[in-house]
Amino acid sequence: MSKAFAVIGDPIDHSLSPNIHSAAFREMDLDCSYIAYRIPKDELKDGIEGLKKIQIRGFNVTIPHKVEMMKYVDKLDESCSLIGAVNTVENKDGVLKGYNTDMDGFLEPFKKKDIPIKDSKVLLLGAGGAARAIVAGFAKEKASNITIANRTLQKAEELSEFSKKIGLNAIPMKIEDVGDSAQNYDIIVNATSIGLKNEDSPISFDSLKENTVVYDIVYMPMNTDFIKKAKEKGAKIIFGYEMLLGQAVRAFEIWHDMEAPYNAMKKALLGGV
Ligand SMILES: NC(=O)c1ccc[n+]([C@@H]2O[C@H](COP(=O)([O-])OP(=O)(O)OC[C@H]3O[C@@H](n4cnc5c(N)ncnc54)[C@H](OP(=O)(O)O)[C@@H]3O)[C@@H](O)[C@H]2O)c1
């Protein structure tokens, strides 16, 4: 029987996941299909019942259901308990297991490009859901310390507390107080949604040292102002699509128990960006 997969969320029509996973199925000659399924905010419970009825094998979860989904899975991988949100679900004979691939997806480009994280000084912009997974990633890879800069200081403070609890020294600040301090860091990450609407970079790169790693997790547009300005200063760039791809690869491996066809998935993704 053909195996069905999906991504759920609202809005969902611009999701790139169906393209990426369908390309992987073609490449590996798998009898599988992957659809985007809109489930409005208050209809998650019924939506999941529907997916179980059609014996969905797995699904991705996006805005606004990532936190709420914690309630509806039968088992939680430790990645979810740490981050407090589910973005990938595996269905084994009606038993749903939740995973969070944000952290692995974020770290994947560092591994692929052999960029070390250990002992590095990190500046993280943003303190939302993705930022939390990123903090967990830097803690796992033993960065030296992290400065968390956010528009709302209180959220930066809360995320700094989480960071310290899992063993990574953290300093919270307001994003406008970053000023011209780019030179003080080895890795700078944008995990705010600034850039989605072509906004200017939230920080100055005037003092940026060459070869600093600059990573924007916003993937649409691909060349945000943040990326363009960092490139001009000779930074090593990691694009948001690389994280997205890292997550799709991880989801594929959870569901199919085999190595994902990275190049075919990358081709499908870049064709769609
Ligand atoms: N590449 C990938 O695979 C990937 C994965 C996950 C997320 N993302 C992208 O990452 C971004 C953040 O996602 P999320 O899930 O963490 O969202 P979220 O939980 O809603 O957090 C949004 C963050 O952006 C900040 N922000 C929003 N508008 C701002 C503005 N005008 N000025 C300054 N700060 C602003 C928020 O600051 P406040 O706390 O002050 O509101 C908060 O820190 C989104 O663009 C999403 O598409 C990409």
Side-chain angles (χ1 to χ4, degrees):
M1 194 176 91
S2 174
K3 297 178 186 168
F5 297 87
V7 55
I8 63 167
D10 188 18
I12 202 67
D13 41 343
H14 293 299
S15 173
L16 301 170
S17 297
N19 271 354
I20 304 173
H21 284 280
S22 300
F25 300 155
R26 276 195 303 278
E27 181 72 15
M28 305 303 284
D29 214 3
L30 298 174
D31 184 12
C32 298
S33 57
Y34 188 111
I35 55 154
Y37 179 34
R38 187 176 78 88
I39 300 182
K41 189 164 175 39
D42 301 328
E43 295 173 25
L44 183 59
K45 190 167 188 285
D46 291 343
I48 291 165
E49 285 309 315
L51 287 173
K52 277 181 156 178
K53 273 192 195 126
I54 63 159
Q55 292 175 10
I56 196 92
R57 293 301 186 99
F59 55 96
N60 288 121
V61 183
T62 185
I63 288 168
H65 302 307
K66 286 201 217 181
V67 174
E68 183 83 3
M69 189 64 216
M70 295 278 286
K71 281 195 220 153
Y72 298 110
V73 287
D74 306 297
K75 289 187 192 169
L76 280 176
D77 182 66
E78 65 175 17
S79 55
C80 293
S81 0
L82 188 65
I83 296 161
V86 173
N87 71 358
T88 303
V89 177
E90 181 187 35
N91 180 12
K92 272 203 171 142
D93 302 320
V95 178
L96 300 187
K97 181 168 179 186
Y99 295 80
N100 191 306
T101 62
D102 273 337
M103 182 179 87
D104 287 339
F106 176 77
L107 293 175
E108 167 87 11
F110 287 96
K111 296 197 172 129
K112 247 195 149 52
K113 296 175 177 193
D114 236 347
I115 298 174
I117 291 178
K118 193 164 183 294
D119 298 329
S120 56
K121 295 189 190 111
V122 179
L123 170 63
L124 173 64
L125 309 176
R132 190 174 163 96
I134 291 169
V135 166
F138 281 123
K140 181 172 174 231
E141 298 299 322
K142 306 217 169 343
S144 162
N145 58 61
I146 191 163
T147 299
I148 302 173
N150 195 44
R151 177 176 62 180
T152 312
L153 181 61
Q154 195 195 338
K155 285 181 73 185
E157 287 169 347
E158 285 163 11
L159 191 55
S160 294
E161 285 311 308
F162 167 74
S163 182
K164 285 188 237 167
K165 224 183 271 168
I166 58 171
L168 176 58
N169 195 10
I171 302 160
M173 65 164 68
K174 278 191 76 100
I175 199 163
E176 61 258 35
D177 294 338
V178 170
D180 203 12
S181 63
Q183 61 191 327
N184 300 340
Y185 302 99
D186 305 307
I187 302 174
I188 300 178
V189 180
N190 175 38
T192 70
S193 35
I194 298 174
L196 273 177
K197 295 180 191 146
N198 284 308
E199 299 96 324
D200 286 346
S201 166
I203 60 162
S204 155
F205 284 123
D206 287 349
S207 75
L208 191 76
K209 288 179 295 186
E210 218 177 308
N211 288 326
T212 304
V213 176
V214 174
Y215 191 158
D216 196 345
I217 74 161
V218 169
Y219 57 85
M220 196 122 57
M222 189 166 129
N223 277 295
T224 56
D225 186 60
F226 179 81
I227 291 281
K228 282 187 210 154
K229 294 213 166 108
K231 246 189 209 166
E232 282 164 14
K233 287 284 180 176
K236 248 185 234 161
I237 302 293
I238 304 179
F239 293 98
Y241 82 78
E242 296 176 75
M243 174 173 175
L244 191 68
L245 194 56
Q247 298 202 51
V249 162
R250 178 77 190 105
F252 184 96
E253 290 172 354
I254 290 169
W255 294 330
H256 304 281
D257 252 337
M258 61 169 90
E259 201 179 321
Y262 182 90
N263 287 330
M265 293 168 88
K266 180 176 175 183
K267 208 170 147 198
L269 174 60
L270 291 184
V273 172

